[in-house]
Amino acid sequence: MTRVPEPTDLPLVDDLIAMERPTIEDYCRASAEYIRKATVVGGKKGKAAQLRLSNALAQVTLADLRDRDLGLDHAVAGEREVGGGLRSVKADVSEVSEIHGLTLAVEIKPVHLAVGRAIWNRFGDIRTFAVNIHLKFPFAVVGGILTLPTTERVRSGDDTDWKSTSHLVSRAVARFMRAGGRKTDGDAPHLLEGIAIVAFDRLTGAIEPDLPPVGSGLRWEEFINSIAEAYAARFGEV
């Protein structure tokens, strides 16, 4: 069972846990709230905010996938340790079937602060996660999610100056596009069945309408579609 973090004094973040059906928009608004106030919150409450946000994003992901009538009766939202080909890892959304073993594994990698330093590390983490899972479960449907704001602080801990991160997201899009698109169990294990990049405005929490561009396969609905199609093809009822 996922541990419930302590309250954070961030209304949008704390309200996530009470929502019956949070959406990706709810998550982005709450994440933006945390980013704006991270230097004030800090410490234990900052870590609690990050946990609440990750838990909520896992719930959103699973709910959106279940809306596609995939079943997913045994899927869980929240960290679960699963065995990989190289080592055990924790999947943020997962399903384990008695017949097929691990059928679904999603890695969530939110970036709240220091976007310029974190984005490429997160890319490596997602690719490593895919290799590890696919080596042991080649039929498993693997997804990766990266969320990040389109601005970041110029200096850590200083809320007065901000700079754009849009150019970093644009540079990352092509690399993430090449990491997705795994269609069959015979494709390379480092590829993923679906990847999402969710970029949002830190002031409003609104999801950017053109970043990543529509048709890249990286927007939220495109990601959900890719994961759902791969899952239905491999594990759907005949």
Side-chain angles (χ1 to χ4, degrees):
M1 180 179 295
T2 301
R3 179 171 60 87
V4 178
E6 66 182 64
T8 67
D9 296 333
L10 299 173
L12 296 179
V13 174
D14 288 340
D15 287 350
L16 283 172
I17 200 168
M19 290 184 178
E20 182 177 347
R21 174 64 165 83
T23 66
I24 188 64
E25 290 80 12
D26 293 324
Y27 164 82
C28 288
R29 285 190 289 268
S31 188
E33 177 188 48
Y34 167 65
I35 290 166
R36 292 192 303 270
K37 299 181 179 181
T39 56
V40 177
V41 176
K44 291 179 63 177
K45 288 187 176 180
K47 291 185 181 300
Q50 294 174 31
L51 285 172
R52 282 178 178 258
L53 288 166
S54 293
N55 291 344
L57 186 51
Q59 293 169 18
V60 169
T61 304
L62 182 54
D64 281 2
L65 288 172
R66 281 178 168 157
D67 282 348
R68 304 307 173 92
D69 297 322
L70 298 173
L72 296 172
D73 297 333
H74 303 291
V76 297
E79 282 191 347
R80 173 162 64 178
E81 189 169 356
V82 297
L86 303 175
R87 58 183 175 83
S88 294
V89 293
K90 291 182 178 179
D92 297 296
V93 179
S94 60
E95 183 185 51
V96 177
S97 162
E98 291 184 3
I99 298 175
H100 303 290
L102 184 68
T103 58
L104 174 69
V106 179
E107 171 92 319
I108 291 175
K109 287 294 182 182
V111 178
H112 304 295
L113 310 173
V115 176
R117 294 199 302 270
I119 190 169
W120 305 115
N121 290 336
R122 298 294 188 269
F123 175 79
D125 292 341
I126 289 172
R127 288 275 293 264
T128 301
F129 180 81
V131 171
N132 201 14
I133 297 296
H134 282 143
L135 285 177
K136 187 169 183 179
F137 300 99
F139 285 94
V141 176
V142 177
I145 301 171
L146 178 73
T147 68
L148 69 170
T150 52
T151 52
E152 66 177 343
R153 292 169 179 80
V154 173
R155 293 171 293 277
S156 178
D158 182 354
D159 293 337
T160 59
D161 292 320
W162 297 74
K163 60 183 178 181
S164 174
T165 63
S166 296
H167 63 293
L168 297 173
V169 180
S170 296
R171 284 171 51 197
V173 164
R175 186 175 292 187
F176 275 89
M177 285 175 64
R178 290 195 297 270
R182 188 174 187 266
K183 301 299 184 184
T184 74
D185 61 288
D187 290 345
H190 67 269
L191 300 177
L192 292 88
E193 280 69 17
I195 301 175
I197 296 181
V198 183
F200 56 89
D201 187 298
R202 88 168 193 281
L203 295 176
T204 65
I207 297 174
E208 292 294 326
D210 302 312
L211 188 65
V214 174
S216 64
L218 301 176
R219 295 193 66 82
W220 183 258
E221 284 300 317
E222 295 172 337
F223 162 74
I224 294 295
N225 287 340
S226 296
I227 295 295
E229 289 170 5
Y231 185 93
R234 295 178 198 176
F235 306 110
E237 295 183 3
V238 178

mmCIF file of all heavy atoms in Angstrom, residues 38-67:
data_model
loop_
_atom_site.group_PDB
_atom_site.id
_atom_site.type_symbol
_atom_site.label_atom_id
_atom_site.label_comp_id
_atom_site.label_asym_id
_atom_site.label_seq_id
_atom_site.Cartn_x
_atom_site.Cartn_y
_atom_site.Cartn_z
ATOM 1 N N ALA A 38 8.591 26.145 -3.683
ATOM 2 C CA ALA A 38 9.546 25.141 -3.203
ATOM 3 C C ALA A 38 10.572 25.713 -2.250
ATOM 4 O O ALA A 38 10.967 25.067 -1.272
ATOM 5 C CB ALA A 38 10.237 24.469 -4.384
ATOM 6 N N THR A 39 11.031 26.926 -2.515
ATOM 7 C CA THR A 39 12.062 27.498 -1.645
ATOM 8 C C THR A 39 11.504 27.853 -0.269
ATOM 9 O O THR A 39 12.253 27.913 0.709
ATOM 10 C CB THR A 39 12.673 28.758 -2.281
ATOM 11 O OG1 THR A 39 11.632 29.704 -2.570
ATOM 12 C CG2 THR A 39 13.401 28.414 -3.566
ATOM 13 N N VAL A 40 10.204 28.107 -0.184
ATOM 14 C CA VAL A 40 9.576 28.432 1.101
ATOM 15 C C VAL A 40 9.224 27.156 1.863
ATOM 16 O O VAL A 40 9.430 27.059 3.079
ATOM 17 C CB VAL A 40 8.302 29.280 0.883
ATOM 18 C CG1 VAL A 40 7.606 29.542 2.210
ATOM 19 C CG2 VAL A 40 8.651 30.577 0.186
ATOM 20 N N VAL A 41 8.690 26.167 1.143
ATOM 21 C CA VAL A 41 8.267 24.916 1.781
ATOM 22 C C VAL A 41 9.477 24.130 2.268
ATOM 23 O O VAL A 41 9.660 23.887 3.454
ATOM 24 C CB VAL A 41 7.420 24.069 0.820
ATOM 25 C CG1 VAL A 41 7.080 22.735 1.457
ATOM 26 C CG2 VAL A 41 6.155 24.818 0.438
ATOM 27 N N GLY A 42 10.315 23.717 1.331
ATOM 28 C CA GLY A 42 11.563 23.033 1.664
ATOM 29 C C GLY A 42 11.421 21.824 2.573
ATOM 30 O O GLY A 42 10.333 21.394 2.917
ATOM 31 N N GLY A 43 12.546 21.246 2.950
ATOM 32 C CA GLY A 43 12.641 20.192 3.954
ATOM 33 C C GLY A 43 11.658 19.056 3.805
ATOM 34 O O GLY A 43 11.373 18.585 2.706
ATOM 35 N N LYS A 44 11.111 18.601 4.953
ATOM 36 C CA LYS A 44 10.213 17.447 4.978
ATOM 37 C C LYS A 44 8.941 17.700 4.185
ATOM 38 O O LYS A 44 8.434 16.810 3.505
ATOM 39 C CB LYS A 44 9.874 17.089 6.420
ATOM 40 C CG LYS A 44 11.032 16.524 7.226
ATOM 41 C CD LYS A 44 10.613 16.208 8.650
ATOM 42 C CE LYS A 44 9.541 15.140 8.689
ATOM 43 N NZ LYS A 44 9.176 14.779 10.087
ATOM 44 N N LYS A 45 8.421 18.916 4.258
ATOM 45 C CA LYS A 45 7.187 19.200 3.535
ATOM 46 C C LYS A 45 7.430 19.220 2.025
ATOM 47 O O LYS A 45 6.550 18.857 1.245
ATOM 48 C CB LYS A 45 6.579 20.522 4.000
ATOM 49 C CG LYS A 45 5.986 20.429 5.402
ATOM 50 C CD LYS A 45 5.237 21.684 5.799
ATOM 51 C CE LYS A 45 4.584 21.491 7.159
ATOM 52 N NZ LYS A 45 3.833 22.696 7.596
ATOM 53 N N GLY A 46 8.604 19.626 1.634
ATOM 54 C CA GLY A 46 8.947 19.573 0.214
ATOM 55 C C GLY A 46 8.994 18.142 -0.297
ATOM 56 O O GLY A 46 8.488 17.833 -1.370
ATOM 57 N N LYS A 47 9.589 17.262 0.489
ATOM 58 C CA LYS A 47 9.640 15.843 0.106
ATOM 59 C C LYS A 47 8.232 15.244 0.110
ATOM 60 O O LYS A 47 7.900 14.421 -0.749
ATOM 61 C CB LYS A 47 10.550 15.077 1.058
ATOM 62 C CG LYS A 47 12.030 15.437 0.933
ATOM 63 C CD LYS A 47 12.884 14.566 1.817
ATOM 64 C CE LYS A 47 14.358 14.950 1.706
ATOM 65 N NZ LYS A 47 14.869 14.801 0.335
ATOM 66 N N ALA A 48 7.410 15.649 1.079
ATOM 67 C CA ALA A 48 6.039 15.162 1.122
ATOM 68 C C ALA A 48 5.268 15.619 -0.108
ATOM 69 O O ALA A 48 4.457 14.867 -0.671
ATOM 70 C CB ALA A 48 5.343 15.655 2.389
ATOM 71 N N ALA A 49 5.518 16.851 -0.544
ATOM 72 C CA ALA A 49 4.853 17.357 -1.747
ATOM 73 C C ALA A 49 5.248 16.534 -2.975
ATOM 74 O O ALA A 49 4.401 16.176 -3.801
ATOM 75 C CB ALA A 49 5.208 18.830 -1.959
ATOM 76 N N GLN A 50 6.519 16.214 -3.090
ATOM 77 C CA GLN A 50 6.980 15.422 -4.222
ATOM 78 C C GLN A 50 6.341 14.034 -4.224
ATOM 79 O O GLN A 50 5.954 13.507 -5.281
ATOM 80 C CB GLN A 50 8.499 15.318 -4.198
ATOM 81 C CG GLN A 50 9.205 16.642 -4.425
ATOM 82 C CD GLN A 50 10.707 16.540 -4.263
ATOM 83 O OE1 GLN A 50 11.307 15.509 -4.536
ATOM 84 N NE2 GLN A 50 11.331 17.612 -3.795
ATOM 85 N N LEU A 51 6.216 13.432 -3.037
ATOM 86 C CA LEU A 51 5.575 12.120 -2.941
ATOM 87 C C LEU A 51 4.102 12.193 -3.330
ATOM 88 O O LEU A 51 3.601 11.332 -4.062
ATOM 89 C CB LEU A 51 5.717 11.573 -1.523
ATOM 90 C CG LEU A 51 7.087 11.034 -1.135
ATOM 91 C CD1 LEU A 51 7.116 10.704 0.361
ATOM 92 C CD2 LEU A 51 7.424 9.784 -1.954
ATOM 93 N N ARG A 52 3.410 13.219 -2.848
ATOM 94 C CA ARG A 52 1.997 13.367 -3.193
ATOM 95 C C ARG A 52 1.823 13.551 -4.703
ATOM 96 O O ARG A 52 0.915 12.992 -5.308
ATOM 97 C CB ARG A 52 1.395 14.555 -2.445
ATOM 98 C CG ARG A 52 1.080 14.260 -0.980
ATOM 99 C CD ARG A 52 0.540 15.493 -0.265
ATOM 100 N NE ARG A 52 0.201 15.184 1.118
ATOM 101 C CZ ARG A 52 -1.032 14.974 1.564
ATOM 102 N NH1 ARG A 52 -2.049 15.039 0.721
ATOM 103 N NH2 ARG A 52 -1.254 14.702 2.832
ATOM 104 N N LEU A 53 2.696 14.332 -5.294
ATOM 105 C CA LEU A 53 2.606 14.573 -6.734
ATOM 106 C C LEU A 53 2.868 13.291 -7.521
ATOM 107 O O LEU A 53 2.144 12.973 -8.466
ATOM 108 C CB LEU A 53 3.600 15.667 -7.139
ATOM 109 C CG LEU A 53 3.226 17.082 -6.686
ATOM 110 C CD1 LEU A 53 4.417 18.019 -6.828
ATOM 111 C CD2 LEU A 53 2.034 17.602 -7.488
ATOM 112 N N SER A 54 3.879 12.537 -7.151
ATOM 113 C CA SER A 54 4.179 11.287 -7.850
ATOM 114 C C SER A 54 3.044 10.289 -7.702
ATOM 115 O O SER A 54 2.660 9.609 -8.666
ATOM 116 C CB SER A 54 5.480 10.684 -7.323
ATOM 117 O OG SER A 54 6.585 11.504 -7.650
ATOM 118 N N ASN A 55 2.491 10.182 -6.489
ATOM 119 C CA ASN A 55 1.370 9.271 -6.270
ATOM 120 C C ASN A 55 0.172 9.658 -7.125
ATOM 121 O O ASN A 55 -0.503 8.801 -7.726
ATOM 122 C CB ASN A 55 0.966 9.273 -4.790
ATOM 123 C CG ASN A 55 2.006 8.635 -3.895
ATOM 124 O OD1 ASN A 55 2.897 7.921 -4.355
ATOM 125 N ND2 ASN A 55 1.898 8.880 -2.598
ATOM 126 N N ALA A 56 -0.100 10.966 -7.190
ATOM 127 C CA ALA A 56 -1.235 11.432 -7.979
ATOM 128 C C ALA A 56 -1.033 11.159 -9.464
ATOM 129 O O ALA A 56 -1.967 10.747 -10.168
ATOM 130 C CB ALA A 56 -1.460 12.923 -7.747
ATOM 131 N N LEU A 57 0.183 11.350 -9.966
ATOM 132 C CA LEU A 57 0.437 11.117 -11.381
ATOM 133 C C LEU A 57 0.289 9.631 -11.726
ATOM 134 O O LEU A 57 -0.194 9.280 -12.802
ATOM 135 C CB LEU A 57 1.832 11.619 -11.756
ATOM 136 C CG LEU A 57 2.189 11.571 -13.243
ATOM 137 C CD1 LEU A 57 1.122 12.228 -14.098
ATOM 138 C CD2 LEU A 57 3.550 12.215 -13.482
ATOM 139 N N ALA A 58 0.685 8.766 -10.817
ATOM 140 C CA ALA A 58 0.481 7.328 -11.030
ATOM 141 C C ALA A 58 -1.006 7.012 -11.102
ATOM 142 O O ALA A 58 -1.451 6.231 -11.961
ATOM 143 C CB ALA A 58 1.143 6.536 -9.904
ATOM 144 N N GLN A 59 -1.809 7.622 -10.230
ATOM 145 C CA GLN A 59 -3.248 7.397 -10.245
ATOM 146 C C GLN A 59 -3.873 7.906 -11.541
ATOM 147 O O GLN A 59 -4.744 7.257 -12.124
ATOM 148 C CB GLN A 59 -3.892 8.087 -9.048
ATOM 149 C CG GLN A 59 -3.509 7.483 -7.707
ATOM 150 C CD GLN A 59 -3.958 8.347 -6.542
ATOM 151 O OE1 GLN A 59 -4.811 9.206 -6.686
ATOM 152 N NE2 GLN A 59 -3.349 8.128 -5.381
ATOM 153 N N VAL A 60 -3.431 9.084 -11.984
ATOM 154 C CA VAL A 60 -3.938 9.646 -13.239
ATOM 155 C C VAL A 60 -3.631 8.702 -14.402
ATOM 156 O O VAL A 60 -4.486 8.426 -15.253
ATOM 157 C CB VAL A 60 -3.311 11.031 -13.497
ATOM 158 C CG1 VAL A 60 -3.601 11.502 -14.916
ATOM 159 C CG2 VAL A 60 -3.830 12.050 -12.489
ATOM 160 N N THR A 61 -2.410 8.207 -14.448
ATOM 161 C CA THR A 61 -1.985 7.323 -15.537
ATOM 162 C C THR A 61 -2.838 6.071 -15.591
ATOM 163 O O THR A 61 -3.355 5.698 -16.655
ATOM 164 C CB THR A 61 -0.501 6.939 -15.362
ATOM 165 O OG1 THR A 61 0.290 8.121 -15.295
ATOM 166 C CG2 THR A 61 -0.033 6.075 -16.520
ATOM 167 N N LEU A 62 -3.010 5.431 -14.453
ATOM 168 C CA LEU A 62 -3.785 4.190 -14.434
ATOM 169 C C LEU A 62 -5.252 4.455 -14.763
ATOM 170 O O LEU A 62 -5.879 3.687 -15.510
ATOM 171 C CB LEU A 62 -3.656 3.511 -13.071
ATOM 172 C CG LEU A 62 -4.371 2.164 -12.923
ATOM 173 C CD1 LEU A 62 -3.963 1.190 -14.019
ATOM 174 C CD2 LEU A 62 -4.093 1.561 -11.543
ATOM 175 N N ALA A 63 -5.810 5.530 -14.245
ATOM 176 C CA ALA A 63 -7.207 5.847 -14.532
ATOM 177 C C ALA A 63 -7.426 6.106 -16.019
ATOM 178 O O ALA A 63 -8.415 5.647 -16.603
ATOM 179 C CB ALA A 63 -7.651 7.053 -13.712
ATOM 180 N N ASP A 64 -6.513 6.850 -16.643
ATOM 181 C CA ASP A 64 -6.656 7.137 -18.072
ATOM 182 C C ASP A 64 -6.519 5.871 -18.906
ATOM 183 O O ASP A 64 -7.196 5.710 -19.930
ATOM 184 C CB ASP A 64 -5.621 8.172 -18.509
ATOM 185 C CG ASP A 64 -6.029 9.592 -18.123
ATOM 186 O OD1 ASP A 64 -7.096 9.752 -17.486
ATOM 187 O OD2 ASP A 64 -5.282 10.534 -18.447
ATOM 188 N N LEU A 65 -5.655 4.952 -18.500
ATOM 189 C CA LEU A 65 -5.528 3.681 -19.211
ATOM 190 C C LEU A 65 -6.774 2.822 -19.022
ATOM 191 O O LEU A 65 -7.249 2.182 -19.965
ATOM 192 C CB LEU A 65 -4.285 2.927 -18.736
ATOM 193 C CG LEU A 65 -2.945 3.506 -19.193
ATOM 194 C CD1 LEU A 65 -1.786 2.800 -18.506
ATOM 195 C CD2 LEU A 65 -2.799 3.395 -20.721
ATOM 196 N N ARG A 66 -7.322 2.819 -17.825
ATOM 197 C CA ARG A 66 -8.542 2.032 -17.578
ATOM 198 C C ARG A 66 -9.733 2.575 -18.362
ATOM 199 O O ARG A 66 -10.659 1.827 -18.688
ATOM 200 C CB ARG A 66 -8.844 1.997 -16.091
ATOM 201 C CG ARG A 66 -7.973 0.988 -15.339
ATOM 202 C CD ARG A 66 -8.246 0.978 -13.859
ATOM 203 N NE ARG A 66 -7.620 -0.186 -13.229
ATOM 204 C CZ ARG A 66 -7.300 -0.269 -11.946
ATOM 205 N NH1 ARG A 66 -7.563 0.750 -11.129
ATOM 206 N NH2 ARG A 66 -6.727 -1.352 -11.451
ATOM 207 N N ASP A 67 -9.701 3.850 -18.680
ATOM 208 C CA ASP A 67 -10.771 4.426 -19.501
ATOM 209 C C ASP A 67 -10.804 3.831 -20.901
ATOM 210 O O ASP A 67 -11.785 3.992 -21.622
ATOM 211 C CB ASP A 67 -10.595 5.945 -19.608
ATOM 212 C CG ASP A 67 -11.050 6.676 -18.355
ATOM 213 O OD1 ASP A 67 -11.715 6.050 -17.499
ATOM 214 O OD2 ASP A 67 -10.746 7.882 -18.228
#
